[in-house]
Every structure is written in structure tokens, then in C-alpha cells.
Amino acid sequence: MSKDASHIDSDSSSNLSQAPQKDSLKSFISTLATFSGDLSSLTCPSFLLSSVSLLEYSQYWGDHPKLFASISAGKTPEERLLNCTRWFISTLYGSYSSRATTAGMEKKPYNPILGEQYFAQWTGHEATGDIVLTAEQVSHHPPILGFHLENKKAGVVLEGHCGQKSRFAMPAGIDVHQTGHAIVTLPGHNNETYLITLPSLNIRGIVTGRPSVELSGATYIVSSAGMMASIEYSTRGYFSGERNSFKATLKPLDGGDPFYTAQGVWSGVSTYVDHTEDDDESKLFFDSLEDKAVAPEVKHQNEMGPLESHKLWSKVSNAINTKDYGTASREKSKIEDAQRVLAKNRKERGETQADALKIFILVDEDADATGKTFQILREDLIDAVGTKALREDEKRPHWRLRK
């Protein structure tokens, strides 16, 4: 290409690329409609890719440092469960709606490679303390990421893992069932623990090239203090309903009346009622429009290791951000092809995926303290709701941050 041709304005360049993009989109949708397995193995057109790795989505757990720190500040187990539920609701906007709000659509993040790493930190003040996030892609087949978020001063620890199983859904959408769970531990409250399940996702608008995400079904937060928050999501219908609505009910595990209920829009404003009070007055629960997410601090790319997300995918991201989708596809293929070679070499040496990890370690659930706690809370959840409440990988693997 000549120097003059390289200076085509962005509008003209966009018009020139619209036809092949439409053809690629049609081909991708046709592939989706006829594919019978997990869609995570399909190659997505570069123009539908976001310029970040899915591993970086673990930062949304820390979007609201004060709310995360506040979990341990509750004076009673009921208040701490309420604080934990509020914090969890605060993580949903960043995780599932922020990109559609700012960019007008949801795009697919990169599939992280095995052993990919992401580090972030939120510097707090004396009252709240700092939050440190560590994440690593602990499995590639199936895709699973491990995360660990901790505020030592406030005494709040979050750990867990998350995977996705996706399938085509009519009309021209994708349903994603998230596997795994998160566990919050409060060392200052005699290791009070909360098991958190993950929501299901409905991705719609693919046929128009402007995908968006809604949450469906329910998630649960089970407290070792004998209580549970049940959070039900409702999606917008074809003719009525409000997007991103939820209702949370907090009550004892063994039944009885709720002591708190919260409802509203998780990407907007929600309110709650304290049923232990006489007036049943609605109070503000969370407002994502006013309580803005706090961006994490990350190292400069020059200080990052080769497996850290920003550095690993930098050439792909630069190409996507400049709409050079051909280069993006080529650079992405280079990374993926190199991973296939490494996987082949591991297999020949008799190694597993766990042998490639640097930050997390695969542990025996029965020999791990958090794993044992998970088993107890899982049984409590199943007794209260049924087996449908929790989706785990069939082998029920657990990963923990290396000591």
C-alpha cells in the first residue's frame, strides 16, 4: 500500500470494510446455527472481538473497593450477608453491561491461553485498605480462570474459578452457562464464609452485529452462619419488561421470613427493605449510575512478564483498536498456534495443564480447608434449592493461590 492510500479517512475505510464484515458475520452466524458443541472452540471474526482478554474481567470483582471492604463491617451475620449481596450486585454492571453502555455493544473478549496472568491493585485509604487481585488461566480445555482478591486490612478474601459453556439459542443468540463459584471468607469473623454461584448469560443481537448481555435464572449466596440470599434475574420480553431487573431475598437457610429484600435494576438503581423494622420503608441499595467503578492500577506494559494479558495480546489489541482486522487475525493465530505446539509438547512429556501454572495450584478438595468449607456450603445450597443451583465442572477441580 502506498503512503497516500494509508491515509484513507476512517469513515471511508469503514465503508470499504463493511461488505466483507457482513459476509464474515453471516458465515459466523451460519456456523453457530449448525454447531452442536461448546461454542468456545469456534473462531470469532476479529471485528466482533473486544481488545481485552477474558482474564481481565476478573477485575470487575473489585470495581467498588469500599463495598468489598464493607462486607466485614456488618455488626451481625444478617448485616454482613446484606453487605455481601450489595457488593455482589455492584460487580454485575462492569462484568455484563458496561461495554454495551459505553461502546453500544458487547464484543467477545479473547480466550485466555493456559497460564495467562493478570495482576491489579486498588489503593485505598487508611479506613478501607488496599485490594490486590491475582488471576491466572488455570485450564484451556475446558476454559477456566482462577482469581484471588484480598483486602488484608478489612479482612475480606475472595477466591474462586469460573468457566463457560455456551450454545446457540434461537433466534440467533448464544446462551452461556457459567461454571464454578466464588467464596468470600472473613478471617476477622471466625472465618465466616459465603459461597457465591454465578449467573447464566443470554447474548442477543448477534444477527445485527450489536450483541448485548442479559442475566437469567438465579444466583445464590450461602452464608456459613446459616443464611442465604437468593437473587432472581428477569430479562426483557419482546414487548414489555425492564432490562437487567433483579430481586434478592435474604432469609434463614432453614426457612422462615425474609429479613431483607432488595430489588431494582442491577445496571441502574435498586432499593431494599429491612423487614425487621416496623415501617418497611424502601432505602437505596445500590446505584451504578452514581457509584462509579474505580479503575484498578496495573503495571506499565514494559514492566510486565510475557504471560501477562496486556503484553501477551498487545499486537492483537493494537490492530483491533485501529480496525486492522487482518493483522489482528494473523497475530491472534500466532499466539494460538504457539499454544498448540506447547500443548503437544506437554502431552509428549506426560504433563497436565496444571503443570504449566505459575501462580495457582490444583488442589484436592478433600484436603483443602476452603475446599472442605465449599463442600459443606454446597450441600446446604442443594438442600435448600436443589442440584440446579450450582454448575461445576464434572471433575470438580479446585485451584488455590500458591502460598
Side-chain angles (χ1 to χ4, degrees):
M1 179 181 288
S2 68
K3 290 184 178 180
D4 289 340
S6 68
H7 289 286
I8 296 176
D9 64 76
S10 59
D11 291 337
S12 299
S13 177
S14 176
N15 292 334
L16 287 170
S17 64
Q18 281 180 359
Q21 285 185 23
K22 287 182 179 179
D23 290 341
S24 181
L25 178 60
K26 289 179 180 178
S27 176
F28 180 60
I29 293 173
S30 297
T31 302
L32 286 177
T34 57
F35 193 79
S36 59
D38 185 357
L39 298 180
S40 62
S41 60
L42 290 181
T43 299
C44 182
S46 294
F47 65 87
L48 286 179
L49 288 176
S50 177
S51 56
V52 297
S53 170
L54 181 61
L55 189 66
E56 296 178 50
Y57 281 36
S58 55
Q59 75 181 43
Y60 298 125
W61 290 112
D63 265 354
H64 298 276
K66 290 182 180 179
L67 294 184
F68 184 66
S70 76
I71 298 174
S72 62
K75 296 179 180 179
T76 66
E78 290 82 1
E79 284 186 9
R80 292 192 288 274
L81 179 60
L82 180 70
N83 291 350
C84 187
T85 305
R86 179 186 290 109
W87 158 76
F88 175 74
I89 292 297
S90 80
T91 70
L92 300 179
Y93 172 76
S95 298
Y96 306 114
S97 184
S98 58
R99 290 159 300 282
T101 302
T102 57
M105 73 179 77
E106 179 73 35
K107 289 192 172 185
K108 183 184 181 300
Y110 313 135
N111 290 332
I113 67 170
L114 181 65
E116 184 176 330
Q117 304 164 358
Y118 183 67
F119 306 98
Q121 177 174 315
W122 291 260
T123 301
H125 48 70
E126 187 174 347
T128 60
D130 300 340
I131 299 177
V132 177
L133 168 67
T134 305
E136 184 176 29
Q137 189 72 11
V138 295
S139 173
H140 189 66
H141 296 292
I144 301 173
L145 64 88
F147 52 86
H148 186 279
L149 190 73
E150 183 170 3
N151 183 327
K152 289 186 176 180
K153 185 175 184 61
V156 185
V157 181
L158 171 76
E159 54 188 334
H161 62 270
C162 175
Q164 297 82 31
K165 293 183 178 180
S166 51
R167 63 179 180 84
F168 181 74
M170 293 295 289
I174 296 174
D175 288 345
V176 181
H177 296 305
Q178 296 194 97
T179 62
H181 61 269
I183 291 180
V184 170
T185 304
L186 307 180
H189 290 281
N190 203 23
N191 284 329
E192 189 171 277
T193 308
Y194 305 84
L195 168 63
I196 303 173
T197 68
L198 307 175
S200 293
L201 319 179
N202 303 135
I203 302 174
R204 300 295 181 260
I206 295 176
V207 70
T208 63
R210 302 185 72 81
S212 61
V213 176
E214 285 210 30
L215 306 185
S216 63
T219 53
Y220 304 93
I221 304 176
V222 182
S223 166
S224 61
M227 295 168 289
M228 179 178 72
S230 174
I231 306 168
E232 298 180 353
Y233 306 99
S234 57
T235 59
R236 181 179 181 180
Y238 285 107
F239 303 107
S240 64
E242 188 170 12
R243 288 176 57 89
N244 305 339
S245 298
F246 80 94
K247 181 176 181 179
T249 304
L250 286 66
K251 62 181 182 180
L253 261 174
D254 57 2
D257 297 329
F259 40 84
Y260 295 112
T261 56
Q263 61 184 348
V265 178
W266 53 259
S267 59
V269 180
S270 54
T271 60
Y272 80 101
V273 173
D274 183 349
H275 296 289
T276 64
E277 298 180 349
D278 294 333
D279 56 8
D280 276 356
E281 178 186 358
S282 293
K283 305 172 186 176
L284 179 65
F285 188 59
F286 179 67
D287 185 350
S288 70
L289 306 177
E290 291 294 329
D291 194 347
K292 301 295 185 182
V294 178
E297 304 161 21
V298 296
K299 293 181 292 187
H300 191 278
Q301 197 176 115
N302 293 338
E303 301 173 331
M304 294 180 179
L307 288 176
E308 293 189 50
S309 296
H310 285 184
K311 190 162 190 174
L312 174 69
W313 297 100
S314 60
K315 292 182 179 179
V316 183
S317 297
N318 291 338
I320 288 176
N321 290 336
T322 58
K323 299 184 179 181
D324 183 358
Y325 299 119
T327 296
S329 295
R330 289 191 295 273
E331 293 295 335
K332 181 170 174 285
S333 293
K334 288 180 183 178
I335 295 173
E336 293 167 344
D337 290 343
Q339 288 303 301
R340 293 186 185 98
V341 172
L342 290 175
K344 181 175 180 291
N345 292 340
R346 279 196 306 273
K347 185 175 181 180
E348 291 174 349
R349 294 193 299 266
E351 296 177 353
T352 67
Q353 292 187 108
D355 294 320
L357 305 180
K358 306 296 183 185
I359 302 170
F360 283 75
I361 186 171
L362 182 63
V363 298
D364 181 352
E365 182 180 281
D366 295 324
D368 176 72
T370 307
K372 292 178 180 178
T373 300
F374 165 71
Q375 293 181 61
I376 295 172
L377 294 179
R378 177 182 60 203
E379 292 306 313
D380 288 341
L381 177 59
I382 291 174
D383 288 343
V385 181
T387 56
K388 69 180 186 299
L390 185 64
R391 291 188 179 91
E392 292 289 322
D393 185 87
E394 288 77 5
K395 297 179 182 179
R396 295 202 321 232
H398 272 65
W399 293 267
R400 294 286 175 264
L401 195 66
R402 292 180 185 271
K403 301 289 185 178

